[in-house]
Amino acid sequence: MTASESNGSTNGAVPARSGGQVICEALLAEDIDVIFGMPGGASLPFYDALYHYQDRIRHVLARHEQGAGFAANGYARATGKVGVATSTSGPGATNLVTSMANDHMDSVPVVYITGQVARPAIGSDAFQETDITGISIPITKHNYLVMHADELPRVMAEAFYLAKSGRPGPVVVDVPKDVFLEETTVPAPDRVNLRGYRPVRAGNLRMVRRAAEVINASERPMIMAGHGVDISGAAPELFELATGGNIPVVTTLHGVGGFPETHPLSFGMLGMHGLAYANFAMGETDCIIGLGVRFDDRAVGKVDEFGPNARVVHIDVDPAEIGKVLDTEVPIVGDLKLTLQALNPLIEHRERRPWLGQLNEWRENHPSLDIPDSPDTVLPQEVVRSIYDASGGDARVIADVGQNQMWASQHFWYEKPRRFFSAGGLGPMGYALPAAMGVQMGAPGEPVWCVSGDGGLLINIQEFNTLAAEKIPVKVAILNNAHLGMIRQWQQFFYEGRYMGAFLDNPDFAKVAEAFGLRGVSVSSRDELHTAIADAHAYDGPVVLDVHVDRVENVYPMIVPGTGVRSVIEDPR
Amino acid sequence: MNGTSRSHTLVAMVADHPGVLTRVASMFRRRGFNIASLAVGNCEEPGYSRMTIEVRGTDDEVKQFEKQLYKLVEVITIRDLTDVAAVQTETALVRVRVSPADRPGLADIASIFHGEIVDVGRDTMIVQITGVSETIDRFLDVIAEYGIDELTRTGVVAMARGTKASRNGSARG
Ligand SMILES: Cc1ncc(C[n+]2csc(CCOP(=O)(O)OP(=O)(O)O)c2C)c(N)n1
Ligand SMILES: [Mg+2]
């Protein structure tokens, strides 16, 4: 980067530090007390620097770089800080790719420090050389290849700033082995100045007034709250908007917990496996108030049936999301919290009797959350419900991908933000276990439950070793249905039951857990379930519950892809 | 969202970093856009370059693309010059197969199009021609009968008329 681009101002000369030290200092300046990673040849000099900082920065050795990346994601999402993951060059860096893509889709701030081969070897196809900055361009917010230690203080400051500001996302800092060792006297800048990057703060006031007019004039408004509520810390403002204006709320998968789910104005999660009444509401509303959402296809379904008669107010920090999917009458680019603070005083309280009456009638007649009777088998929904009961509703729940993810979002009533975590945009199986590790590190002392499918658990099961070695007291509940359940369900519905690659011949997970040094419990009845969950909840170490659940239970409701919010398939029982 | 597809001319100022071209190109490919032409070079500020990008799409699609492009940290400003008063120009070098007898004829055509003969070989001539893309297209059409041996075009470069300060178009997407 050239001098004219940015340097911010600096603090004056400082003693020489190695590149590795500069990075450690940057971590401390960001209040990062834990990082996740696996070392390798190219990053050994960085580990040598970390060695001298181990009293202040805890390094958690993940057993696969993907685990390190997902853990950093969980840590970031639990704390609101930036997560940090590190790897060596080549295979270490490529193992992080899925995690980068996941952060990118879910707007999670993670800084990746990847080792690179030494500068003279770059471009020579050296041992373990991979062009990770090239690979990661479309799946990161930004990336850097740092060719001189003098650049590192600025690059680290920019990396953290980019990761967490505006619409958050992953930033890769690729550091050649010899740059970790090279010394610099350049101080850390005291502010970041990026000419081409100016995230918007509060939304335009004229637009905010327009939004208030549209909302106040509406008869059947619906707030659709997304991940932005969490990211911007706007839950109190959302609460004020909804209760102040008497406006019902649905959330996206990532919006879960942004508004208390037991509140009468909460109509749960919408989308493909959202609640029937949440989706009906989106078909009939006359005013969609999209808050920190991107109107993803899994949430919206068929666009023509999604609020066909609705005026759309959309507040988001990313201008590229506004008008991308829906024609938007009132587009507001801005930080959600600040924008709602301006909007809320302009919102009038309305009775909205017919609308709320209609919504509640749907809720009565389409009870999406009733668990059917099942005399012979434990249903997976019951596992989630049991965790809800045992924790008094106050646990952090990290779901994997598949049926388990939907049940974990549905059958627990989340009252606060940053309580439910799942990989929504990319949907990588194997997310839950390592992410739960990161969440627990970010929320020490709090109950953290990993709810995983049997298939997904196997993808990053090596992290059992990390739980044991680092004594991270995550509780793991495996919804063991002996299937890639979501695949089986789709093959049942859309491929006339031609099951292919859907059956799982599982190991004995309780024994596996024991072999890793964790407490492992096998559960196959309802009584065992409640005891095992209560015991696990009370235990202060990591536990794995292998819950043998009904093998063919389906997730309901379901909207068939390509159809809209009106064509919800409900549980036939 | 709909609308008719047409050619748009975008001008972006970008930081002159290694990899910035890859980032821009990657964005085009990922969002399913086809670059009709792309010209990059230095601009009035050291450390920055200016890119002129010609792309086909509906107004909504190009707007969305512009916003995505603007999200790249190294993109400083971006502007769609399609519907604003702007100068657009392009240069082509054409090597034409031409026998000595036909040289005057080709030279005549070139001069009508304000082209310049920049090289003459035993049975070829190179014509350099600068102008709006449509003029170059017409020139190529007219000389096609001689036989075009090789053609290279720079791609369009464009600039809004008036001073920077007088333009009130936003840099943002
Ligand atoms: C890495 C990865 N590979 C494949 C998929 C496709 N996929 C989505 S859900 C699913 C099945 C998950 O099975 P399991 O983990 O047992 O969860 P269940 O649906 O049974 O609860 C698969 C294979 C994916 N999302 N991620
Ligand atoms: Mg399963």
Side-chain angles (χ1 to χ4, degrees), chain A residues 333-361:
Chain A
V333 179
D335 172 73
L336 189 57
K337 188 182 184 76
L338 296 177
T339 308
L340 287 183
Q341 281 170 355
L343 176 68
N344 285 345
L346 310 177
I347 297 298
E348 295 159 10
H349 189 91
R350 291 280 147 88
E351 285 291 318
R352 309 190 204 282
R353 279 243 175 90
W355 179 227
L356 290 170
Q358 169 72 82
L359 291 175
N360 283 314
E361 188 193 311

Short mmCIF file of all heavy atoms in Angstrom, two decimals, chain A residues 333-361:
data_model
loop_
_atom_site.label_atom_id
_atom_site.label_comp_id
_atom_site.label_asym_id
_atom_site.label_seq_id
_atom_site.Cartn_x
_atom_site.Cartn_y
_atom_site.Cartn_z
N VAL A 333 -29.58 2.69 4.68
CA VAL A 333 -28.27 2.12 4.93
C VAL A 333 -27.76 2.69 6.24
O VAL A 333 -27.65 3.91 6.37
CB VAL A 333 -27.27 2.47 3.80
CG1 VAL A 333 -25.91 1.86 4.10
CG2 VAL A 333 -27.80 1.97 2.47
N GLY A 334 -27.50 1.82 7.20
CA GLY A 334 -26.99 2.35 8.46
C GLY A 334 -26.84 1.26 9.49
O GLY A 334 -27.33 0.14 9.32
N ASP A 335 -26.14 1.61 10.53
CA ASP A 335 -26.03 0.72 11.68
C ASP A 335 -27.42 0.60 12.31
O ASP A 335 -28.12 1.60 12.52
CB ASP A 335 -25.03 1.31 12.68
CG ASP A 335 -25.03 0.52 13.97
OD1 ASP A 335 -24.50 -0.59 13.96
OD2 ASP A 335 -25.58 1.01 14.98
N LEU A 336 -27.83 -0.63 12.59
CA LEU A 336 -29.21 -0.87 13.02
C LEU A 336 -29.53 -0.19 14.34
O LEU A 336 -30.58 0.45 14.50
CB LEU A 336 -29.45 -2.37 13.10
CG LEU A 336 -30.89 -2.79 13.34
CD1 LEU A 336 -31.81 -2.26 12.26
CD2 LEU A 336 -30.98 -4.31 13.40
N LYS A 337 -28.64 -0.33 15.29
CA LYS A 337 -28.90 0.23 16.62
C LYS A 337 -29.11 1.75 16.53
O LYS A 337 -30.10 2.28 17.00
CB LYS A 337 -27.73 -0.10 17.54
CG LYS A 337 -27.95 0.25 19.00
CD LYS A 337 -26.71 -0.08 19.82
CE LYS A 337 -26.93 0.16 21.30
NZ LYS A 337 -27.76 -0.89 21.93
N LEU A 338 -28.15 2.41 15.88
CA LEU A 338 -28.23 3.87 15.79
C LEU A 338 -29.47 4.30 15.00
O LEU A 338 -30.14 5.28 15.35
CB LEU A 338 -26.97 4.42 15.11
CG LEU A 338 -25.66 4.20 15.86
CD1 LEU A 338 -24.48 4.71 15.07
CD2 LEU A 338 -25.74 4.89 17.23
N THR A 339 -29.78 3.54 13.96
CA THR A 339 -30.91 3.92 13.12
C THR A 339 -32.23 3.72 13.87
O THR A 339 -33.12 4.56 13.80
CB THR A 339 -30.89 3.11 11.82
OG1 THR A 339 -29.58 3.26 11.23
CG2 THR A 339 -31.93 3.60 10.84
N LEU A 340 -32.33 2.63 14.61
CA LEU A 340 -33.56 2.40 15.38
C LEU A 340 -33.71 3.46 16.48
O LEU A 340 -34.82 3.87 16.82
CB LEU A 340 -33.58 1.00 15.99
CG LEU A 340 -33.82 -0.15 15.01
CD1 LEU A 340 -33.89 -1.48 15.75
CD2 LEU A 340 -35.09 0.05 14.19
N GLN A 341 -32.58 3.90 17.02
CA GLN A 341 -32.67 4.94 18.05
C GLN A 341 -33.31 6.20 17.47
O GLN A 341 -34.02 6.93 18.16
CB GLN A 341 -31.29 5.25 18.63
CG GLN A 341 -30.88 4.20 19.66
CD GLN A 341 -29.43 4.31 20.10
OE1 GLN A 341 -28.66 5.12 19.56
NE2 GLN A 341 -29.05 3.49 21.06
N ALA A 342 -33.05 6.44 16.20
CA ALA A 342 -33.68 7.60 15.55
C ALA A 342 -35.13 7.31 15.16
O ALA A 342 -35.98 8.20 15.21
CB ALA A 342 -32.87 7.99 14.31
N LEU A 343 -35.38 6.08 14.79
CA LEU A 343 -36.73 5.72 14.31
C LEU A 343 -37.76 5.59 15.44
O LEU A 343 -38.90 6.05 15.31
CB LEU A 343 -36.65 4.40 13.51
CG LEU A 343 -37.96 3.81 13.00
CD1 LEU A 343 -38.56 4.71 11.91
CD2 LEU A 343 -37.76 2.40 12.45
N ASN A 344 -37.35 4.94 16.51
CA ASN A 344 -38.32 4.56 17.55
C ASN A 344 -39.20 5.71 18.06
O ASN A 344 -40.41 5.53 18.21
CB ASN A 344 -37.61 3.86 18.71
CG ASN A 344 -37.22 2.44 18.34
OD1 ASN A 344 -37.69 1.91 17.34
ND2 ASN A 344 -36.33 1.84 19.11
N PRO A 345 -38.62 6.89 18.32
CA PRO A 345 -39.47 7.97 18.84
C PRO A 345 -40.56 8.40 17.86
O PRO A 345 -41.53 9.05 18.26
CB PRO A 345 -38.49 9.12 19.06
CG PRO A 345 -37.13 8.51 19.08
CD PRO A 345 -37.20 7.28 18.25
N LEU A 346 -40.40 8.05 16.58
CA LEU A 346 -41.38 8.48 15.58
C LEU A 346 -42.49 7.46 15.38
O LEU A 346 -43.42 7.67 14.61
CB LEU A 346 -40.68 8.72 14.23
CG LEU A 346 -39.42 9.60 14.25
CD1 LEU A 346 -38.81 9.69 12.88
CD2 LEU A 346 -39.79 10.99 14.77
N ILE A 347 -42.37 6.33 16.07
CA ILE A 347 -43.34 5.24 15.85
C ILE A 347 -44.52 5.39 16.79
O ILE A 347 -44.36 5.58 18.00
CB ILE A 347 -42.65 3.87 16.05
CG1 ILE A 347 -41.55 3.67 15.03
CG2 ILE A 347 -43.66 2.73 16.00
CD1 ILE A 347 -42.02 3.66 13.58
N GLU A 348 -45.72 5.30 16.21
CA GLU A 348 -46.94 5.44 17.02
C GLU A 348 -47.47 4.08 17.42
O GLU A 348 -47.37 3.12 16.66
CB GLU A 348 -48.01 6.19 16.21
CG GLU A 348 -47.60 7.62 15.91
CD GLU A 348 -48.35 8.20 14.72
OE1 GLU A 348 -49.31 7.56 14.24
OE2 GLU A 348 -47.95 9.29 14.27
N HIS A 349 -48.02 4.03 18.62
CA HIS A 349 -48.62 2.77 19.08
C HIS A 349 -49.97 2.59 18.39
O HIS A 349 -50.78 3.49 18.33
CB HIS A 349 -48.82 2.81 20.60
CG HIS A 349 -49.23 1.49 21.17
ND1 HIS A 349 -48.31 0.58 21.63
CD2 HIS A 349 -50.45 0.93 21.34
CE1 HIS A 349 -48.95 -0.49 22.06
NE2 HIS A 349 -50.26 -0.31 21.89
N ARG A 350 -50.21 1.42 17.85
CA ARG A 350 -51.49 1.14 17.18
C ARG A 350 -52.08 -0.14 17.76
O ARG A 350 -51.33 -1.06 18.10
CB ARG A 350 -51.28 0.93 15.67
CG ARG A 350 -50.89 2.16 14.90
CD ARG A 350 -52.13 3.03 14.61
NE ARG A 350 -51.77 4.43 14.60
CZ ARG A 350 -51.34 5.09 13.51
NH1 ARG A 350 -51.22 4.46 12.39
NH2 ARG A 350 -51.03 6.36 13.59
N GLU A 351 -53.38 -0.21 17.78
CA GLU A 351 -54.03 -1.41 18.33
C GLU A 351 -53.78 -2.64 17.46
O GLU A 351 -53.45 -3.71 17.94
CB GLU A 351 -55.54 -1.18 18.46
CG GLU A 351 -55.91 -0.29 19.64
CD GLU A 351 -55.66 -0.98 20.98
OE1 GLU A 351 -55.97 -2.18 21.10
OE2 GLU A 351 -55.13 -0.31 21.89
N ARG A 352 -54.03 -2.49 16.16
CA ARG A 352 -53.84 -3.58 15.19
C ARG A 352 -54.59 -4.84 15.62
O ARG A 352 -54.07 -5.95 15.50
CB ARG A 352 -52.35 -3.91 15.02
CG ARG A 352 -51.48 -2.69 14.73
CD ARG A 352 -50.09 -3.09 14.32
NE ARG A 352 -49.11 -2.03 14.57
CZ ARG A 352 -48.93 -0.96 13.80
NH1 ARG A 352 -49.63 -0.82 12.71
NH2 ARG A 352 -48.03 -0.05 14.10
N ARG A 353 -55.79 -4.66 16.13
CA ARG A 353 -56.56 -5.81 16.63
C ARG A 353 -56.78 -6.90 15.59
O ARG A 353 -56.51 -8.06 15.86
CB ARG A 353 -57.93 -5.35 17.16
CG ARG A 353 -57.82 -4.80 18.55
CD ARG A 353 -58.61 -5.61 19.58
NE ARG A 353 -58.29 -5.01 20.86
CZ ARG A 353 -59.00 -4.00 21.39
NH1 ARG A 353 -60.12 -3.59 20.81
NH2 ARG A 353 -58.62 -3.44 22.50
N PRO A 354 -57.30 -6.51 14.40
CA PRO A 354 -57.59 -7.58 13.44
C PRO A 354 -56.34 -8.36 13.06
O PRO A 354 -56.37 -9.58 12.95
CB PRO A 354 -58.14 -6.82 12.21
CG PRO A 354 -58.47 -5.45 12.68
CD PRO A 354 -57.65 -5.18 13.90
N TRP A 355 -55.24 -7.65 12.89
CA TRP A 355 -53.99 -8.30 12.46
C TRP A 355 -53.45 -9.23 13.53
O TRP A 355 -53.20 -10.40 13.30
CB TRP A 355 -52.98 -7.23 12.06
CG TRP A 355 -51.62 -7.71 11.60
CD1 TRP A 355 -50.42 -7.22 12.03
CD2 TRP A 355 -51.31 -8.70 10.61
NE1 TRP A 355 -49.39 -7.84 11.37
CE2 TRP A 355 -49.91 -8.76 10.50
CE3 TRP A 355 -52.08 -9.56 9.81
CZ2 TRP A 355 -49.24 -9.64 9.63
CZ3 TRP A 355 -51.42 -10.43 8.95
CH2 TRP A 355 -50.03 -10.46 8.86
N LEU A 356 -53.35 -8.72 14.75
CA LEU A 356 -52.84 -9.56 15.82
C LEU A 356 -53.81 -10.70 16.10
O LEU A 356 -53.39 -11.83 16.41
CB LEU A 356 -52.58 -8.72 17.08
CG LEU A 356 -51.39 -7.77 16.93
CD1 LEU A 356 -51.31 -6.80 18.11
CD2 LEU A 356 -50.08 -8.56 16.80
N GLY A 357 -55.10 -10.43 15.92
CA GLY A 357 -56.10 -11.48 16.09
C GLY A 357 -55.88 -12.59 15.07
O GLY A 357 -55.88 -13.79 15.41
N GLN A 358 -55.66 -12.18 13.85
CA GLN A 358 -55.41 -13.16 12.77
C GLN A 358 -54.15 -13.98 13.06
O GLN A 358 -54.13 -15.20 12.94
CB GLN A 358 -55.27 -12.38 11.45
CG GLN A 358 -54.76 -13.20 10.30
CD GLN A 358 -55.80 -14.18 9.78
OE1 GLN A 358 -56.67 -13.84 9.01
NE2 GLN A 358 -55.73 -15.42 10.24
N LEU A 359 -53.09 -13.29 13.46
CA LEU A 359 -51.83 -14.00 13.74
C LEU A 359 -52.02 -15.00 14.88
O LEU A 359 -51.55 -16.14 14.80
CB LEU A 359 -50.73 -13.00 14.12
CG LEU A 359 -50.22 -12.07 13.01
CD1 LEU A 359 -49.22 -11.07 13.58
CD2 LEU A 359 -49.57 -12.87 11.90
N ASN A 360 -52.72 -14.59 15.91
CA ASN A 360 -52.91 -15.49 17.04
C ASN A 360 -53.82 -16.66 16.69
O ASN A 360 -53.64 -17.76 17.20
CB ASN A 360 -53.41 -14.72 18.26
CG ASN A 360 -52.27 -13.95 18.91
OD1 ASN A 360 -51.18 -14.50 19.11
ND2 ASN A 360 -52.48 -12.68 19.20
N GLU A 361 -54.76 -16.41 15.79
CA GLU A 361 -55.62 -17.49 15.34
C GLU A 361 -54.78 -18.52 14.57
O GLU A 361 -54.91 -19.73 14.77
CB GLU A 361 -56.72 -16.92 14.45
CG GLU A 361 -57.78 -17.93 14.08
CD GLU A 361 -58.64 -17.39 12.94
OE1 GLU A 361 -59.12 -16.24 13.05
OE2 GLU A 361 -58.80 -18.12 11.94
#
